[in-house]
Amino acid sequence: MNRWELIRAFLTGPLVEATVPKPGNVSRKRDFEDLSIYNFLVSYPALGSIYHEAVKRAESIRSGLLRPNEAGIGELIRRGVEATKRVQDANPNFGVIVLSIPLIMGLALTKKIKEGREKAKLLIEESTVRDTMELYKAIRTANPKGLPSGVKYDVYSDKAFEELFRDRINLLELAKMSAERELVFGEWVNGYELTYRTFSRIAEELPSPLEEAILSVFIELLSENIDTLILRKAGRGEAELVMDKAREVRDGRLSLKAFEEFMGEKGDLRNPGSLADITAVSLSLLFLRGARVEMRNGKAWLVTSRR
């Protein structure tokens, strides 16, 4: 893979994911009161220069000009969030940015998709307290919904930076503490296990109509995993109810239409944003591997590259 193939793939995957109609999510067929498909469409191109810088730094680490602890993951995440805020006023992609930057750097280090997750985890392990402080600045800018208050290292506390410095909390340590309430940090800890598994599942569906393939795998994800955005906003009972309903759809006991109606009953409260982030980055890996879109009988298909 070359530099631009990597960047293009990680800009394309989330755009496709956001566009596909999926129960509970913003899509080309559904907007929320405070979030539109257009927020996604303008925010991802704004990340191009940030992803380019991430690749360049990884190449410098690979050549020995920088050490792994100088990757600056936290700073790049902060700059990515700020770049998207300059072109729109919502928070469409914080989770995707958090997942993507270490993985892009890991892939640039190894040039092999299978090994990218290992290199990404290495960079997270080698991160510094400064990375965590920069991440906190990014979180304050993005202002995700449902963040708990009064917890240790509270992101909105005036004492947070002092506490992080005192206890030498790098990104890995923070991720370990946050994994249960935020799926993307769990991916940092477990080496992108769910992201790569989802990538493999979508790849198994090829060739297939694009929206049907992504929707099918997304329903599987919802049926097998608690979405932590729903968990933070609505509580465990609501998050487990969504998972149960998704199982009914998967097993043919509930229609997709009925499930979509259920997911929309409470506005964006049942928005499975964390699993959407996983899907977005898994699609980035799929496009990096060479997947392409073809039109067949008036419908977009996702197919394996002819290269």
Side-chain angles (χ1 to χ4, degrees):
M1 70 187 71
N2 66 41
R3 180 185 294 178
W4 294 109
E5 286 175 333
L6 180 53
I7 294 167
R8 182 171 63 247
F10 274 79
L11 295 176
T12 302
L15 284 171
V16 171
E17 181 278 325
T19 308
V20 172
K22 303 183 305 304
N25 286 155
V26 167
S27 72
R28 67 184 180 88
K29 293 184 177 180
R30 184 189 186 203
D31 291 331
F32 294 151
E33 175 121 2
D34 60 351
L35 187 64
S36 162
I37 186 62
Y38 295 106
N39 292 99
F40 291 88
L41 295 181
V42 301
S43 65
Y44 282 109
L47 290 167
S49 62
I50 307 300
Y51 287 177
H52 184 258
E53 178 66 24
V55 173
K56 285 173 55 181
R57 289 190 191 180
E59 291 170 347
S60 293
I61 293 170
R62 187 177 184 184
S63 65
L65 296 175
L66 290 176
R67 297 189 299 271
N69 64 2
E70 296 175 310
I73 291 172
E75 176 212 347
L76 289 168
I77 291 172
R78 173 184 59 77
R79 288 170 54 196
V81 171
E82 290 171 352
T84 64
K85 278 289 187 179
R86 283 194 291 270
V87 296
Q88 52 82 52
D89 66 349
N91 172 32
N93 55 3
F94 175 72
V96 170
I97 295 170
V98 168
L99 280 172
S100 294
I101 285 178
L103 187 53
I104 286 170
M105 299 182 83
L107 290 161
L109 278 172
T110 180
K111 305 293 185 182
K112 297 178 181 178
I113 292 178
K114 287 185 178 180
E115 297 175 8
R117 57 191 291 191
E118 299 170 7
K119 296 296 185 181
K121 188 174 181 182
L122 171 65
L123 293 174
I124 292 164
E125 290 171 350
E126 292 291 321
S127 65
T128 67
V129 179
R130 179 182 176 185
D131 286 304
T132 308
M133 292 179 175
E134 292 284 345
L135 176 64
Y136 265 45
K137 294 175 186 176
I139 295 172
R140 290 181 175 187
T141 299
N143 195 25
K145 294 180 179 179
L147 287 184
S149 60
V151 296
K152 193 172 185 180
Y153 310 118
D154 186 339
V155 70
Y156 293 114
S157 169
D158 292 336
K159 297 181 179 179
F161 292 100
E162 178 183 331
E163 293 169 347
L164 292 170
F165 181 79
R166 180 195 66 209
D167 296 342
R168 311 306 295 170
I169 303 298
N170 74 352
L171 293 179
L172 181 62
E173 293 305 313
L174 181 71
K176 288 177 180 177
M177 291 183 285
S178 306
E180 288 190 5
R181 61 176 182 262
E182 182 45 71
L183 191 57
V184 297
F185 291 129
E187 288 294 276
W188 277 7
V189 174
N190 65 31
Y192 289 79
E193 180 181 344
L194 185 57
T195 302
Y196 270 72
R197 196 187 327 150
T198 305
F199 156 53
S200 296
R201 275 292 298 117
I202 299 175
E204 290 171 3
E205 298 288 317
L206 272 56
S208 181
L210 184 151
E211 292 190 353
E212 284 89 334
I214 295 171
L215 178 58
S216 174
V217 174
F218 189 66
I219 293 295
E220 286 184 23
L221 273 177
L222 284 174
S223 71
E224 297 169 357
N225 302 274
I226 289 285
D227 186 272
T228 50
L229 178 59
I230 300 174
L231 180 67
R232 292 199 315 271
K233 292 196 300 183
R236 180 161 293 276
E238 197 72 40
E240 290 179 349
L241 179 59
V242 169
M243 188 165 63
D244 291 342
K245 291 289 186 180
R247 285 198 193 106
E248 293 182 27
V249 177
R250 181 197 64 189
D251 298 340
R253 294 181 284 118
L254 182 70
S255 71
L256 181 61
K257 181 179 180 181
F259 184 51
E260 289 173 342
E261 291 173 354
F262 161 78
M263 293 293 277
E265 283 176 354
K266 298 184 177 181
D268 71 345
L269 200 64
R270 292 171 177 158
N271 169 26
S274 298
L275 290 172
D277 295 338
I278 297 292
T279 304
V281 178
S282 70
L283 284 169
S284 296
L285 292 170
L286 191 74
F287 284 109
L288 182 61
R289 198 183 73 165
R292 53 184 268 126
V293 175
E294 290 183 0
M295 292 302 295
R296 298 183 180 182
N297 299 318
K299 181 176 287 190
W301 278 57
L302 199 54
V303 303
T304 303
S305 174
R306 295 173 180 171
R307 292 185 303 175

